[in-house]
Amino acid sequence: MNTGSHEPGEVAVASGEIKVDRAQSERALGSRAPAFIKQRRVLHLSWQVGVFIVGLAVVATGVVMLPLPGPGWVVIFGGMAIWATEFVWAQLVLRWTKRKVTEAAQRALDPKVRRRNIILTTIGLVIMAALVAVYVWKFGFEMPWKIKDQ
């Protein structure tokens, strides 16, 4: 669909899809520090060190949350997003991760995959119900640590 504009970042809607200019969707790589910080090398380097330390603290907190209660992966990706404000490698990692998550979500929405997942979940629940039924039939409602010698 032609919107009549040739400006970058224009949005056109056609057949229920939203299309955004590719240059807008993929921002330029590099530092997002304010201009006055970029102008002075020492200030920019200290800015990058500060961003790295804050990002490292957030990522380390996320790693600690992986075995403990808490949103570990969300915090780790938050730390990566902090790093991505200054470092190209973190920006590339986040772009790759976003692309892979989007692909996985699209695959999960495929009707064949959804049907297969529903069937496998149903089979798993039937097996679990059968195991619980056998346990209750054999031992009653006694807890495992209170079972008498039989």
Side-chain angles (χ1 to χ4, degrees):
M1 177 172 139
N2 186 3
T3 61
S5 172
H6 296 295
E7 296 296 320
E10 71 181 26
V11 177
V13 178
S15 69
E17 293 183 22
I18 297 176
K19 296 190 178 192
V20 179
D21 186 16
R22 187 166 182 85
Q24 181 184 1
S25 66
E26 291 192 18
R27 299 163 91 178
L29 297 175
S31 176
R32 289 182 178 55
F36 73 93
I37 290 178
K38 288 182 183 179
Q39 291 173 349
R40 294 169 184 84
R41 176 128 175 93
V42 174
L43 191 56
H44 191 228
L45 185 62
S46 61
W47 176 271
Q48 285 183 329
V49 168
V51 168
F52 182 79
I53 290 172
V54 170
L56 184 64
V58 172
V59 168
T61 303
V63 169
V64 168
M65 284 186 195
L66 287 176
L68 299 176
W73 285 110
V74 173
V75 174
I76 289 172
F77 288 122
M80 290 294 295
I82 291 171
W83 279 339
T85 62
E86 280 303 307
F87 303 108
V88 173
W89 61 268
Q91 293 169 1
L92 294 173
V93 168
L94 281 179
R95 281 185 184 177
W96 179 84
T97 304
K98 183 177 179 182
R99 189 172 59 247
K100 291 298 181 183
V101 167
T102 304
E103 290 171 3
Q106 290 300 321
R107 281 194 309 267
L109 293 176
D110 179 28
K112 290 180 182 178
V113 174
R114 289 186 67 196
R115 199 171 316 125
R116 182 198 67 203
N117 289 344
I118 290 171
I119 291 169
L120 289 175
T121 302
T122 304
I123 291 171
L125 289 173
V126 167
I127 291 172
M128 290 300 295
L131 291 174
V132 168
V134 167
Y135 176 84
V136 170
W137 174 70
K138 183 163 181 152
F139 301 108
F141 287 105
E142 295 281 331
M143 290 295 149
W145 50 86
K146 293 185 178 179
I147 295 176
K148 299 170 186 72
D149 292 331
Q150 295 183 8

